[in-house]
Amino acid sequence: MAELLVRGGRIFDPASGVDLDGGGILIQDGLIAKLLTKDELSSLGEFKGEVLDASGKLVMPGFIDLHVHLRTPGQSHKETLESGLRAAVAGGFTAVCCMPNTEPPLDRPDLIRGLIEQAEELGLARLYPAACISQAREGTRPSPWRSLLKAGARLFTDDGSDTADAYLLRTALAEITALGGTVAIHAEEPTLSRGGWVHQGPVADELGLLGIPASSEAVAIARAAILALETESRVHILHLSTRLGLKVIRALRSLGAEVTTEVTPHHLLLTDQAVRKHLSQAKVNPPLRERADREAMVEGLAQGEIEVIASDHAPHAGWEKEAPIALAPFGFSGLETSLGLTYQLVREGRLSLARWVEAQTAEPAKLLGLYDPEQGALGKLAPRAAADLTIFDPQGEWEVEPARFYSKGKNTPFVGMRLTGRSWRVVVRGKVIIP
Amino acid sequence: MAEASPGRPFPKRLITTEDLDLEEIRRLIEYARDLRKRHEQGEGLPSQAGKCVVLWFTEPSTRTRLAFASALTKLSASFIDLEPTASSMAKGESIAETARTLDALGMAGVVMRTGHPDGPGLVAEHFGGVVINAGAGTFAHPTQALADLAAVAEKQEVWQGGLRMLVVGDIVRSRVARSTVRLWTRLGHRVTLAGPLGGLPQSWLKSPPALVEVTTSLPELGQFDLVMMLRTQREREGIPFPSPGEFARHFGLTRERATMLKGDALILHPGPYEPGVEIDPEVARSQRSLIQSQVEWGVWVRTALLDLMLSSASEQGGEAGG
């Protein structure tokens, strides 16, 4: 017998061809039991379990944020697993993939297992910890890839920086791909970014700020994609930010390289002009780029050349972001603003609703290897898929008020922005989760 | 003649020259002239006695620090040196926290020299009194640009626009160059920036700001009214910049090149200069050089600025963030 019925609203999963206006979803044992059309819903008769009335809402597969920093272990002044996973739920995500640049870095199977267990106890969003490619993220020696995979790691990256040793990266691409994992890189050539703080462009030149050129990203993408091509493996490029980088991806794809990529809400919505007003608050790596870069990111996402939207949620303590721009850490809070921000592109007609959904459901689920199982698949609305839902109110108006974030990171250059469209409820493993 | 008449408000923050409108800039320069004249005629100067200003210098400085100290002495104000190595900043206290402390201590003003481009702006967010940027990283050095303006104004008409200025050398790492470009183009003058490519703001090669030209070779010198030579900022972040000898050969203002200048052209250098690199020492001391005058006006412009700002701030009252 079904325990939860989600009814009303628009049941929408474009990747599976599901679009049921006023339909319903029957949920049992944490899985989707049945999708109902409007007619089937009205002939269902009396339902004994819990009913969630989602009239007027968008009911979609649970959104997955492929790129978040939850600072656990070791940096609880920035975020804890609990505050980060509450932020995920509040922001409309049912699963997140946390990056391994913690203290210590996630390069040991016990750390991966420990995080998964802690997250299960919390019972908020699902957690998929990414593991380091190299021991201690030092970029020289391999972490124990097979043991990490066995412990539950699905994504491997040295995010925070690139993998220094190209031969190590080459080996990681070949071996981890063969074992079914995904290798992801933070594309940055350090001899080009040279400790820069912002995008190298007109704003940096005017304000006398140390710039990071677009080539820093593009050169690193080329390196990784060529290695993937040579080893017949695949590579995922984290947080793409430049039109030059996108051109390099296109060029390497045309040579046969298997490359996927993602873009953040801030690279879709802001440019380096935000640095004028927000300075340290807008310091992020990769940096906010120029208008033409932002346009290329939106266009690339709309066309499907950029597969995934990911927040790169990077919380810091307030005092850390209060420092001068040279000393302030990169990044800001993103989990609780991501959906509302990117939905503006849908409202403006620049991004189809279908792409917006796929980029946060089917696409990240595929990269985590969670899209295809017969039972419990993520990122899709289908019988026997996981009963993870993101229910979104497309009319909900709100203002970005960092003081009200569940995340401990209260810094964002989007502070004070008024948005239309926000997450209403999430369902994880068949249960409505309240942050 | 402009006077610092009470009740005429003046901004209490000078982070960049844009914090002053053109009328305020003119008022400042004329007031500096007035104070200098009064001093030379043995008349008394205005008093800011009882006010204490903090000189917060975290980068080495001779001219600027002494000019501010001298200006505050002229105004009978007191000043305290905040030395980062001898203060709580050595224990890791942040700029913001230190600024809040100075605010609580009731300081009337902060004059800041720092490697952080956004340092003075950050102080202004947390300190309610007068804040003056005395050179911030590679961002801005507004009092230098204003002193240069006063020095040139003594010799040439500067308020009608139309002058042509050449700035030569390590532009990208120069806060003086940035403040000069901002101030002089706002006054309607044309500024040409010349130097080796590694030392030029790269986005300006394609699309320079209004009234600015950028070139990678030394242009024909006879077309300029003003020539400013800059020191290579070797102490800042590394960029591929030619050796001193290579730079001198292709860009240095040698005695020979100086003969190509227009009859009434003036030479500026914010100092300190490297003799024989960007400028020949004889040229630096020649009739058309304003280098000494820049230092003198540096004191008087800062005296005028501090008097206007401290007077205005004490009438407005202090509140951080303004």
Side-chain angles (χ1 to χ4, degrees):
Chain A
M1 190 187 126
E3 13 327 298
L4 176 66
L5 170 65
V6 179
R7 59 172 304 156
R10 180 179 174 189
I11 318 277
F12 188 54
D13 173 12
S16 310
V18 171
D19 190 356
L20 305 168
D21 206 9
I25 302 176
L26 275 172
I27 290 165
Q28 187 167 15
D29 300 328
L31 301 176
I32 293 173
K34 195 164 193 270
L35 299 176
L36 306 168
T37 63
K38 198 172 182 177
D39 291 343
E40 287 168 330
L41 185 65
S42 52
S43 59
L44 189 67
E46 198 190 342
F47 181 73
K48 297 269 170 50
E50 188 189 346
V51 177
L52 185 62
D53 184 355
S55 302
K57 310 293 190 294
L58 276 166
V59 182
M60 302 167 290
F63 277 36
I64 301 162
D65 193 337
L66 194 62
H67 192 150
V68 302
H69 296 268
L70 298 186
R71 311 299 190 199
T72 309
Q75 297 173 315
S76 56
H77 66 289
K78 296 175 191 272
E79 194 81 292
T80 63
L81 207 56
E82 183 170 349
S83 64
L85 291 173
R86 283 194 197 289
V89 166
F93 294 98
T94 59
V96 297
C97 177
C98 62
M99 294 296 119
N101 57 337
T102 50
E103 290 173 10
L106 306 182
D107 61 356
R108 301 196 324 247
D110 61 305
L111 292 172
I112 299 286
R113 267 194 297 270
L115 282 178
I116 294 172
E117 281 163 18
Q118 284 178 61
E120 274 171 12
E121 271 171 41
L122 287 166
L124 295 158
R126 295 177 195 257
L127 181 69
Y128 296 95
C132 300
I133 292 171
S134 64
Q135 278 178 49
R137 287 178 59 245
E138 282 170 355
T140 50
R141 295 159 301 151
S143 60
W145 301 328
R146 286 162 197 269
S147 302
L148 289 162
L149 277 160
K150 210 172 159 199
R154 295 170 172 275
L155 196 90
F156 288 75
T157 180
D158 284 341
D159 183 49
S161 46
D162 214 333
T163 302
D165 187 311
Y167 201 87
L168 171 64
L169 178 60
R170 183 178 179 276
T171 312
L173 282 161
E175 184 155 359
I176 293 169
T177 304
L179 294 168
T182 295
V183 173
I185 65 147
H186 166 113
E188 178 177 352
E189 168 49 52
T191 62
L192 283 166
S193 53
R194 300 179 317 146
W197 315 320
V198 298
H199 171 65
Q200 187 175 83
V203 174
D205 282 337
E206 187 189 323
L207 302 183
L209 303 177
L210 271 189
I212 302 173
S215 55
S216 169
E217 175 174 276
V219 164
I221 291 172
R223 182 182 84 138
I226 288 167
L227 296 174
L229 181 63
E230 187 190 32
T231 56
E232 297 180 0
S233 55
R234 48 193 174 80
V235 65
H236 179 68
I237 310 296
L238 299 166
H239 46 47
L240 183 71
S241 67
T242 63
R243 58 194 195 276
L244 187 59
L246 183 57
K247 282 181 191 169
V248 169
I249 290 177
R250 259 180 223 143
L252 269 298
R253 278 176 181 160
S254 77
L255 297 177
E258 231 184 297
V259 184
T260 54
T261 188
E262 70 186 24
V263 64
T264 69
H266 43 279
H267 291 112
L268 289 166
L269 290 156
L270 294 180
T271 67
D272 57 353
Q273 297 295 332
V275 171
R276 287 178 196 284
K277 183 173 173 208
H278 296 286
L279 287 162
S280 297
Q281 301 297 330
K283 184 183 179 188
V284 62
N285 193 12
L288 302 171
R289 304 288 188 176
E290 292 170 45
R291 191 189 165 92
D293 295 299
R294 190 190 67 179
E295 297 303 302
M297 294 305 102
V298 173
E299 188 64 17
L301 178 64
Q303 300 298 326
E305 290 181 292
I306 298 170
E307 289 85 356
V308 173
I309 300 171
S311 75
D312 196 3
H313 174 74
H316 295 288
W319 60 266
E320 293 174 305
K321 289 295 268 186
E322 192 183 69
I325 196 161
L327 304 178
F330 288 108
F332 40 78
S333 214
L335 270 167
E336 289 163 84
T337 50
S338 185
L339 261 63
L341 290 169
T342 53
Y343 188 70
Q344 304 316 301
L345 297 170
V346 178
R347 282 172 49 83
E348 290 162 14
R350 307 204 53 198
L351 180 66
S352 69
L353 182 66
R355 278 293 306 136
W356 183 68
V357 176
E358 285 166 4
Q360 303 180 88
T361 55
E363 295 290 355
K366 285 175 194 167
L367 283 165
L368 292 172
L370 295 164
Y371 191 66
D372 293 320
E374 282 291 302
Q375 182 161 313
L378 296 196
K380 65 170 78 164
L381 296 182
R384 302 179 70 194
D388 286 14
L389 306 175
T390 290
I391 308 179
F392 188 80
D393 177 4
Q395 260 82 50
E397 291 184 8
W398 62 293
E399 185 180 324
V400 177
E401 292 175 275
R404 302 177 68 165
F405 285 172
Y406 287 88
S407 168
K408 291 179 87 168
K410 311 289 187 195
N411 301 94
T412 168
F414 294 106
V415 56
M417 186 178 271
R418 295 204 58 84
L419 299 169
T420 301
R422 72 184 307 179
S423 168
W424 182 68
R425 292 282 190 283
V426 298
V427 174
V428 182
R429 298 182 177 93
K431 292 193 170 56
V432 176
I433 305 294
I434 307 297
Chain B
M1 183 59 66
E3 294 282 344
S5 50
R8 279 185 79 186
F10 200 84
K12 60 175 184 174
R13 306 299 167 78
L14 181 69
I15 311 300
T16 81
T17 54
E18 275 101 294
D19 290 330
L20 306 181
D21 64 29
L22 292 180
E23 187 271 329
E24 286 160 346
I25 289 170
R26 190 156 185 174
R27 192 172 140 211
L28 170 70
I29 303 294
E30 285 174 2
Y31 188 46
R33 279 189 194 178
D34 178 42
L35 291 182
R36 184 172 187 173
K37 199 164 99 196
R38 275 153 70 174
H39 180 70
E40 283 165 0
Q41 291 171 349
E43 292 172 31
L45 293 172
S47 169
Q48 294 292 343
K51 289 180 189 162
C52 186
V53 172
V54 175
L55 300 184
W56 183 347
F57 278 53
T58 62
E59 276 190 342
S61 165
T62 304
R63 284 160 199 73
T64 308
R65 208 199 73 81
L66 289 180
F68 273 108
S70 165
L72 287 160
T73 306
K74 284 184 164 59
L75 294 170
S76 316
S78 57
F79 60 89
I80 297 175
D81 282 297
L82 180 67
E83 289 169 37
T85 49
S87 72
S88 284
M89 295 196 78
K91 302 173 197 161
E93 189 160 55
S94 70
I95 290 179
E97 194 53 38
T98 306
R100 287 192 284 264
T101 303
L102 296 177
D103 195 65
L105 288 168
M107 297 294 156
V110 170
V111 175
M112 187 186 217
R113 157 70 59 97
T114 169
H116 291 295
D118 51 347
L122 199 54
V123 170
E125 278 178 38
H126 301 280
F127 177 80
V130 164
V131 178
I132 299 175
N133 173 3
T138 53
F139 170 49
H141 194 352
T143 58
Q144 178 70 49
L146 292 164
D148 295 352
L149 179 65
V152 175
E154 204 178 20
K155 308 266 186 183
Q156 294 189 3
E157 167 55 52
V158 297
W159 306 110
Q160 304 300 318
L163 293 177
R164 292 207 59 191
M165 179 190 264
L166 173 67
V167 183
V168 183
D170 180 359
I171 308 290
V172 76
R173 290 182 291 185
S174 171
R175 54 191 169 216
V176 174
R178 283 193 178 80
S179 281
T180 300
V181 165
R182 283 158 182 268
L183 180 60
W184 288 83
T185 56
R186 257 176 95 205
L187 292 166
H189 306 294
R190 286 163 67 194
V191 180
T192 301
L193 305 173
L197 193 134
L200 293 170
Q202 292 177 29
S203 69
W204 292 5
L205 289 163
K206 267 193 197 162
S207 49
L211 292 175
V212 174
E213 278 171 39
V214 180
T215 168
T216 52
S217 55
L218 195 65
E220 164 59 47
L221 292 179
Q223 56 190 319
F224 296 100
D225 303 293
L226 303 164
V227 175
M228 178 185 286
M229 304 304 296
L230 296 175
R231 184 178 63 85
T232 303
Q233 306 266 318
R234 270 182 278 278
E235 70 277 21
R236 299 197 189 283
E237 306 293 332
I239 52 168
F241 202 84
S243 68
E246 174 76 357
F247 180 80
R249 268 191 293 285
H250 299 284
F251 292 97
L253 190 56
T254 58
R255 272 172 286 177
E256 194 192 345
R257 285 193 183 119
T259 63
M260 312 298 284
L261 290 166
K262 264 203 319 208
D264 59 349
L266 300 170
I267 295 168
L268 295 116
H269 193 303
Y273 66 83
E274 285 189 279
V277 181
E278 70 272 17
I279 191 164
D280 181 279
E282 245 179 63
V283 176
R285 288 192 293 269
S286 67
Q287 276 292 312
R288 54 169 92 243
S289 165
L290 289 182
I291 296 176
Q292 277 307 110
S293 170
Q294 286 172 272
V295 177
E296 290 162 22
W297 283 110
V299 175
W300 290 107
V301 165
R302 289 171 179 116
T303 309
L305 183 70
L306 282 161
D307 190 44
L308 290 169
M309 292 176 92
L310 289 169
S311 300
S312 190
S314 57
E315 279 155 31
Q316 290 167 33
E319 196 180 305

